[in-house]
């Protein structure tokens, strides 16, 4: 007799609730204090590569937000960016859950500032010629650090910083406005972009460079992500997408299968920056700064995608 097997694969909404629940469980009470060192910003919820120096400036009164200053090492010395981010131990509220389910999106852009975004921003700082005089879009950008770094340091023609979560895009827009004086002649915009939406003909085949960090975790979004990459890349002249992403089991390889099925090409590089690789090796050797470091889940590979 045949057995009717039930599909036990978790739905995207279940995965989102799990991530948000973990964020809530990590909450500890934030005591009133003038000692800013007690306020941990979201990028400290996990360990990270700490490639770009950052400092808490202040906490926004009567909110879940803090201002964080990032110091960018550039040829002429240093340049600073001020970002608004959520406090690490802030509580996700009902609105967070409602928006995730309404738009079929995840909330990871608000949970924390992920280590791969730091790696991507540092990589962009080290390869400014890649973006000079080009149109660039960041996908799934969270608070927008990498896109803002490109806008402030590379003389790009245009930088669009996008996310599918309208709450996240609100943070991006605020961060663009606060740092507008650092962008020179570069046009910088925020955008709400869902990867399954191709009803955006005004940006079809527009961008020279796409960047993204750690956007391949949810397999349910792979097909839409692969298709939007092909949709956005300029089809005249050289263009490419630059992803930094850990393997996370078979998640990255499954995404790259979708890339191939979409008719795109890719290459993977493991050792793509001397400083990033040096810190990775230190973590692998048991450094105390990241005791739970696991290469498969923590070290972002460099993936370059072309038409």
């Amino acid at each position: 007799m045949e057995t009717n097997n039930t599909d036990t694969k978790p739905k995207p909404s279940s995965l989102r609730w799990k991530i948000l629940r973990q964020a809530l469980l990590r909450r500890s009470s934030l005591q009133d204090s003038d000692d800013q060192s007690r306020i941990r910003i979201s990028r400290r919820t996990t360990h990270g590569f700490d490639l770009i120096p950052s400092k808490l400036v202040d906490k926004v009164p009567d909110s879940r937000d803090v201002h964080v200053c990032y110091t960018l090492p550039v040829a002429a010395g240093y340049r600073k960016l001020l970002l608004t981010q959520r406090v690490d131990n802030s509580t996700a509220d009902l609105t967070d859950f409602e928006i995730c389910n309404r738009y079929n999106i995840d909330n990871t852009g608000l949970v924390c500032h992920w280590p791969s975004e730091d790696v991507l921003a540092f990589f962009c700082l080290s390869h400014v010629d890649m973006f000079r005089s080009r149109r660039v879009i960041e996908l799934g950008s969270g608070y927008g650090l990498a896109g803002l770094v490109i806008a402030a340091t590379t003389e790009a023609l245009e930088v669009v910083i996008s996310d599918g979560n309208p709450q996240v895009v609100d943070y991006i827009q605020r961060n663009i406005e606060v740092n507008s004086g650092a962008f020179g002649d570069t046009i910088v915009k925020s955008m709400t972009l869902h990867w399954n939406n191709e009803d955006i003909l005004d940006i079809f085949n527009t961008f020279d460079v796409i960047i993204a960090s750690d956007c391949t975790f949810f397999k349910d979004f792979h097909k839409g992500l692969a298709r939007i990459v092909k949709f956005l890349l300029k089809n005249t002249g050289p263009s490419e997408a630059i992803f930094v992403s850990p393997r996370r089991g078979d998640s990255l390889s499954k995404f790259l299968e979708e890339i191939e099925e979409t008719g795109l090409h890719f290459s993977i590089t493991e050792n793509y920056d001397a400083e990033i690789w040096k810190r990775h090796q230190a973590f692998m050797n048991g450094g105390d700064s990241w005791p739970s470091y696991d290469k498969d889940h923590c070290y972002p590979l460099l993936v370059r995608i072309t038409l």
Side-chain angles (χ1 to χ4, degrees):
M1 184 176 75
E2 290 186 348
T3 303
N4 185 15
N5 291 326
T6 302
D7 185 3
T8 59
K9 181 182 177 181
K11 296 181 180 179
S13 57
S14 299
L15 294 171
R16 289 194 293 272
W17 280 93
K18 182 177 180 181
I19 287 177
L20 290 169
R21 179 177 179 273
Q22 290 171 344
L24 287 168
L25 290 175
R26 286 198 302 266
R27 181 178 179 235
S28 61
S29 61
L30 180 63
Q31 301 189 3
D32 294 333
S33 173
D34 292 331
D35 183 3
Q36 294 180 350
S37 65
R38 295 190 182 188
I39 304 171
R40 297 191 307 154
I41 61 173
S42 58
R43 74 187 301 270
R44 303 298 182 188
T45 57
T46 60
H47 299 277
F49 288 82
D50 292 327
L51 293 157
I52 299 179
S54 63
K55 179 181 179 182
L56 175 67
V57 176
D58 58 26
K59 184 179 184 300
V60 180
D62 302 318
S63 80
R64 297 179 285 176
D65 299 341
V66 291
H67 295 136
V68 182
C69 181
Y70 291 85
T71 302
L72 313 180
V74 294
Y78 294 94
R79 190 162 297 173
K80 295 182 183 295
L81 292 173
L82 186 69
L83 270 65
T84 302
Q85 303 176 186
R86 279 197 184 177
V87 178
D88 163 31
N89 50 8
S90 66
T91 306
D93 60 24
L94 184 59
T95 302
D96 295 335
F97 295 89
E98 289 175 341
I99 288 176
C100 284
N101 289 317
R102 184 187 313 157
Y103 295 103
N104 189 30
I105 56 176
D106 66 81
N107 199 48
T108 51
L110 291 177
V111 170
C112 75
H113 186 121
W114 299 95
S116 291
E117 177 79 358
D118 187 44
V119 169
L120 178 60
F122 184 81
F123 177 84
C124 295
L125 268 174
S126 305
H127 296 80
V128 294
D129 290 342
M130 188 180 294
F131 307 100
R132 185 171 288 117
S133 302
R134 294 191 174 184
R135 299 189 72 186
V136 182
I137 185 169
E138 182 176 11
L139 304 178
S141 63
Y143 297 113
L145 177 62
L148 292 168
V149 164
I150 293 172
T153 65
T154 71
E155 298 179 353
L157 179 65
E158 179 182 17
V159 178
V160 178
I161 308 175
S162 74
D163 201 278
N165 188 326
Q167 289 179 292
V168 175
V169 175
D170 286 343
Y171 280 94
I172 295 170
Q173 183 57 36
R174 278 184 275 168
N175 290 334
I176 289 173
E177 291 170 359
V178 167
N179 294 285
S180 59
F183 303 149
D185 294 329
T186 300
I187 300 167
V188 188
K189 304 174 183 175
S190 63
M191 181 179 186
T192 302
L193 179 63
H194 299 122
W195 299 337
N196 60 356
N197 178 19
E198 295 182 2
D199 253 353
I200 40 176
L201 296 178
D202 57 325
I203 58 172
F204 175 64
N205 291 152
T206 293
F207 295 97
D208 302 288
V209 185
I210 297 170
I211 62 168
S213 63
D214 214 350
C215 284
T216 64
F217 178 65
F218 291 111
K219 296 177 184 177
D220 302 86
F221 299 148
H222 284 175
K223 187 178 291 294
L225 181 55
R227 290 179 64 186
I228 203 68
V229 167
K230 186 173 184 179
F231 182 88
L232 294 173
L233 277 179
K234 187 176 71 174
N235 57 9
T236 56
S239 63
E240 68 174 330
I242 300 167
F243 280 48
V244 293
S245 180
R247 289 194 182 276
R248 298 190 185 279
D250 67 349
S251 182
L252 179 59
S253 62
K254 290 293 185 184
F255 169 67
L256 295 176
E257 288 176 11
E258 291 289 350
I259 285 293
E260 288 186 318
E261 289 183 15
T262 308
L264 297 169
H265 308 278
F266 71 87
S267 65
I268 302 176
T269 306
E270 185 175 37
N271 183 356
Y272 49 89
D273 181 274
E275 183 61 31
I276 296 170
W277 186 252
K278 175 177 145 185
R279 298 193 185 202
H280 160 64
Q281 290 183 312
F283 297 142
M284 288 294 293
N285 291 331
D288 293 338
S289 58
W290 199 338
S292 60
Y293 187 83
D294 172 76
K295 179 179 179 180
D296 181 72
H297 287 84
C298 301
Y299 181 69
L301 302 172
L302 177 68
V303 180
R304 304 180 83 152
I305 302 168
T306 55
L307 293 172

